[in-house]
Amino acid sequence: MSYEKLNKQLIELVGGKDNIKAVAHCVTRLRLTLKDRDLAKTEEIKNLDGVIDVVSNEVAYQIIVGTHVTDVYNEFMAMLGLKPDGEEIEKPRAKGIKGIASSILVMISETMTSIIEVLLAAGMIAGIMAIISLTGLVSKDSSTYMIFDTLRGGVFHFLPVFIAASAAKRMKLNEYVAMALAVGLLSTNIDGAKGLELFGYNLPTIGYANTFIPILLGVWFLSIVTKYLKKIIPSGLQYFLVPALSLVLTFPVILVVFGPIGTLIGDGVNAFFNVLMNTIGNWIVVMLYAAFQPFLIVLGAANFTYPIVLNFLGTLGYDPIINHAATISDIAVCGAMFGYFLRAKKGHQRQMFGTVSFSALMGITEPAVFGVFVKYRRPFLAVIIGGGLGGLIAGLAGVKTMGFVWGLAALPTYLAGGTSNFIWMVISVIVGFVGAAAVAYGVGIPKEESEEELEEKELVEALESNQGLKQVCIGKIAEGTAIPLSEVSDKAFASGALGKGVGILPVQAEETIISPVEGTVTVAFPTKHAYGIKTKNGVELLIHIGVDTVNLEGKYFEGFVEQGQEVKKGDILAKYQADKVEEAGFDPVIIVVVTNSNDYLDVISASNGQADELLTVIL
């Protein structure tokens, strides 16, 4: 057994055989479901020979060992006394109060994420109407203004309907059954109605428009009711009885239990922030959020502010804290990257900093945060100072966000709160940008990186002058835009631990993956999402389609090659529906790495952003 020592150590360090609930693997990692993750000694596992890294998330406890994972897995299963075939990894269930709270936060975050576009649209409509009314083209008292304002207001009034559909989709329920609950709550007979009784019980007067907590809890309860009804009702009658009975059983629970709970939570959030605003002032919260939002993005916690914002909009009609702080922080991130852009002397560095700077300007800061901030660390200081100053000004001036909007494009919407509101927001954004840019330029780029770039430049110059260096070019794999490997969302790949390479952002609904080299297929994963190719020169290439897409079990993928098959450059390896993969909640990025990068002098990625010539391997 080639990996007996490694597997013995792994079994011991994850808490023993009794702590292993299920095992599976993808193309580079063992994926374990552990009964108690606290028993796993993660840092010791990371230090084992043969282990590249450990990723512990809600999907699984993942031990990254490399592309020989199948051999490790087979021996691992044999040592556990289990058959390697037919094992499926289970999603870990929440344990204890902490686990339940985490599951609830994830559910809220993912539910909100699905409806962000329509909420943003409503906020932008408010900004457009504010600009038009200020110009005098349309009066606020006109029916034209009323029509478009109704479109905006309708989105928030019927928010429970959107929440119901989004939550039902996540919980694998019929969206229309869930929406029926929301429609019932928003009917004139229920929404804000007084004197209602249910079997003699006096119902409190609750307005369900603009709310999300009662319907979110209601859909969760609906999923439980539906599950148990399907267990006790014969399959031939389920189509007729389950929807009706689940609605009849769930609706009263919302009215009696979840409606009051939602009101209490909403009032509690408002009371908490009112205390802040009436004591130390909301300015400090705005300042701190604008300064530290990049850290929340790294932790994946930024989305958890959505419920707070929606609660503000539903109860106050505006957001006094979060979204303008987020905008100031985004622009400060843009400023920090612009400062690095001015400071950088290398062409490909300037291109990278310029690209992520523009992305942050549009309100998308993840490429900058994960691609630059985490790597260099110094830009965090720039945003803390620049974003903090901008947030301080906005907080002291009492800036308000009048809709669910953020980013540069959202600035006109602040006119809906008055000219003064708009002016102070613009000033805050400018201060955040300039402050972060100045600090980033001043602290500079770490010298270690500059030295690495110098070595790379020398290699390129040697190639251009034909000084005896041989190379293998990794050509086109798919239509799309090449991005630095550091920008992909999978941390194991992004860190370069699995080899140097690039990512490709797909641009077509259905992408075709072709072989970029001539060689032998060494890996053709059963779920059709990953392929390995070895060239005659010995270059080992891994093409991984999407992040965590092994969980799709082949859905949306079609494979055209088998392990051991010889392929030529341009042969079709696979096809996949990138849009469907993204709709299913997975990142559709194509990841390409040379897994034996350490065997070569260097692996240089293309710097032109195109996906035609991806990598050059220096032999």
Side-chain angles (χ1 to χ4, degrees):
M1 299 181 72
S2 305
Y3 303 101
E4 181 177 4
K5 180 181 178 181
L6 172 62
N7 283 326
K8 280 184 178 179
Q9 292 172 319
L10 290 178
I11 291 172
E12 178 183 351
L13 293 176
V14 298
K17 293 182 180 180
D18 293 338
N19 195 40
I20 301 173
K21 192 174 182 181
V23 187
H25 74 92
C26 64
V27 73
T28 60
R29 59 198 77 186
L30 291 172
R31 305 164 72 90
L32 310 181
T33 302
L34 303 178
K35 296 177 182 178
D36 186 355
R37 290 199 190 188
D38 292 337
L39 297 179
K41 300 177 181 178
T42 300
E43 292 304 318
E44 292 185 34
I45 294 174
K46 287 182 179 180
N47 293 326
L48 291 177
D49 289 336
V51 173
I52 296 173
D53 202 356
V54 176
V55 176
S56 181
N57 57 28
E58 294 182 8
V59 177
Y61 190 85
Q62 304 173 45
I63 303 173
I64 305 167
V65 297
T67 52
H68 57 285
V69 65
T70 302
D71 296 330
V72 177
Y73 167 77
N74 289 337
E75 292 186 12
F76 189 84
M77 296 298 284
M79 294 176 70
L80 291 177
L82 301 172
K83 294 181 179 180
D85 297 329
E87 293 291 338
E88 293 184 0
I89 195 157
E90 300 176 10
K91 290 186 177 180
R93 296 181 180 179
K95 294 178 63 178
I97 295 176
K98 183 178 179 180
I100 293 173
S102 176
S103 298
I104 291 172
L105 287 174
V106 169
M107 182 186 72
I108 292 174
S109 173
E110 294 189 3
T111 298
M112 296 299 179
T113 300
S114 300
I115 63 171
I116 281 179
E117 286 188 33
V118 70
L119 295 175
L120 281 172
M124 294 305 295
I125 289 172
I128 293 170
M129 296 307 297
I131 294 173
I132 292 175
S133 64
L134 283 174
T135 62
L137 295 176
V138 176
S139 171
K140 283 189 175 182
D141 299 324
S142 68
S143 60
T144 300
Y145 186 94
M146 179 271 294
I147 289 171
F148 287 103
D149 191 57
T150 300
L151 177 61
R152 173 206 61 78
V155 170
F156 292 100
H157 180 86
F158 293 100
L159 180 63
V161 177
F162 297 110
I163 293 292
S166 179
K169 186 176 181 180
R170 169 170 168 73
M171 298 179 196
K172 298 181 180 180
L173 295 172
N174 185 309
E175 292 104 310
Y176 299 101
V177 174
M179 288 164 67
L181 289 174
V183 170
L185 293 175
L186 293 173
S187 68
T188 54
N189 292 331
I190 302 294
D191 184 31
K194 298 179 180 179
L196 292 179
E197 291 185 2
L198 182 66
F199 300 118
Y201 175 78
N202 294 322
L203 295 174
T205 301
I206 297 175
Y208 290 96
N210 303 303
T211 66
F212 68 94
I213 296 175
I215 190 62
L216 189 62
L217 293 173
V219 174
W220 166 74
F221 188 74
L222 176 70
S223 68
I224 296 175
V225 172
T226 301
K227 177 182 177 181
Y228 283 100
L229 286 176
K230 287 183 176 180
K231 287 183 177 181
I232 62 176
I233 295 177
S235 57
L237 298 176
Q238 288 182 5
Y239 184 80
F240 302 98
L241 296 181
V242 170
L245 291 176
S246 61
L247 287 173
V248 168
L249 293 172
T250 303
F251 199 62
V253 175
I254 297 177
L255 297 177
V256 175
V257 181
F258 298 146
I261 287 177
T263 301
L264 286 174
I265 293 175
D267 291 345
V269 171
N270 285 337
F272 172 74
F273 282 101
N274 280 331
V275 169
L276 287 179
M277 289 184 278
N278 294 329
T279 53
I280 61 175
N282 67 324
W283 60 271
I284 193 169
V285 185
V286 178
M287 179 185 70
L288 291 175
Y289 192 91
F292 291 100
Q293 181 181 242
F295 292 98
L296 295 179
I297 292 173
V298 171
L299 297 173
N303 290 359
F304 298 147
T305 60
Y306 295 162
I308 299 173
V309 175
L310 289 176
N311 185 70
F312 281 143
L313 295 175
T315 55
L316 302 177
Y318 60 87
D319 169 17
I321 292 176
I322 304 296
N323 273 350
H324 46 285
T327 296
I328 294 167
S329 182
D330 289 347
I331 303 301
V333 170
C334 171
M337 293 300 88
F338 184 71
Y340 263 19
F341 172 81
L342 296 176
R343 185 67 181 259
K345 298 179 180 179
K346 312 303 177 184
H348 73 277
Q349 255 200 341
R350 288 174 66 87
Q351 182 181 25
M352 177 182 68
F353 295 143
T355 300
V356 298
S357 177
F358 179 77
S359 175
L361 187 66
M362 295 296 103
I364 303 171
T365 57
E366 283 80 3
V369 170
F370 288 105
V372 181
F373 279 52
V374 172
K375 183 177 182 180
Y376 295 111
R377 296 182 178 84
R378 296 181 185 180
F380 282 112
L381 176 63
V383 175
I384 289 174
I385 296 175
L389 288 173
L392 176 62
I393 293 172
L396 292 174
V399 172
K400 301 172 183 177
T401 309
M402 308 309 293
F404 197 93
V405 291
W406 65 88
L408 181 70
L411 287 183
T413 67
Y414 288 85
L415 283 167
T419 305
S420 176
N421 190 62
F422 172 74
I423 292 173
W424 280 112
M425 183 59 185
V426 171
I427 292 173
S428 302
V429 165
I430 293 173
V431 169
F433 177 88
V434 174
V439 173
Y441 186 88
V443 298
I445 305 168
K447 292 182 180 180
E448 306 82 59
E449 184 63 22
S450 298
E451 293 169 357
E452 291 174 8
E453 289 168 3
L454 181 60
E455 293 174 0
E456 183 174 311
K457 180 180 178 181
E458 291 172 348
L459 281 171
V460 173
E461 290 175 347
L463 283 171
E464 292 175 347
S465 59
N466 295 317
Q467 293 180 0
L469 294 176
K470 294 182 180 180
Q471 57 181 304
V472 174
C473 291
I474 309 300
K476 181 176 180 179
I477 288 179
E479 298 294 338
T481 303
I483 61 172
L485 190 63
S486 60
E487 292 183 15
V488 303
S489 58
D490 187 293
K491 293 182 179 179
F493 281 109
S495 67
L498 295 168
K500 296 182 178 181
V502 294
I504 302 172
L505 299 177
V507 294
Q508 300 181 149
E510 182 177 86
E511 284 283 355
T512 299
I513 310 300
I514 62 174
S515 176
V517 293
E518 182 178 350
T520 304
V521 177
T522 56
V523 175
F525 210 70
T527 50
K528 305 167 188 175
H529 78 291
Y531 299 86
I533 301 176
K534 186 174 184 178
T535 71
K536 294 179 180 180
N537 306 84
V539 175
E540 297 176 4
L541 195 66
L542 172 63
I543 302 171
H544 196 286
I545 310 170
V547 176
D548 283 329
T549 44
V550 65
N551 295 301
L552 290 173
E553 299 179 346
K555 190 176 181 181
Y556 309 130
F557 291 85
E558 182 180 5
F560 291 86
V561 294
E562 297 178 353
Q563 186 173 339
Q565 181 176 332
E566 299 290 329
V567 292
K568 295 180 180 179
K569 188 173 182 178
D571 286 352
I572 297 177
L573 302 177
K575 292 183 179 181
Y576 80 113
Q577 299 176 58
D579 56 340
K580 298 293 185 182
V581 169
E582 191 167 15
E583 288 175 9
F586 296 88
D587 186 345
V589 65
I590 304 162
I591 303 169
V592 187
V593 294
V594 177
T595 56
N596 60 339
S597 295
N598 292 334
D599 294 342
Y600 302 104
L601 192 57
D602 203 355
V603 178
I604 302 173
S605 59
S607 60
N608 58 6
Q610 301 300 314
D612 294 332
E613 291 293 335
L614 296 174
L615 301 167
T616 300
V617 183
I618 313 301
L619 303 181

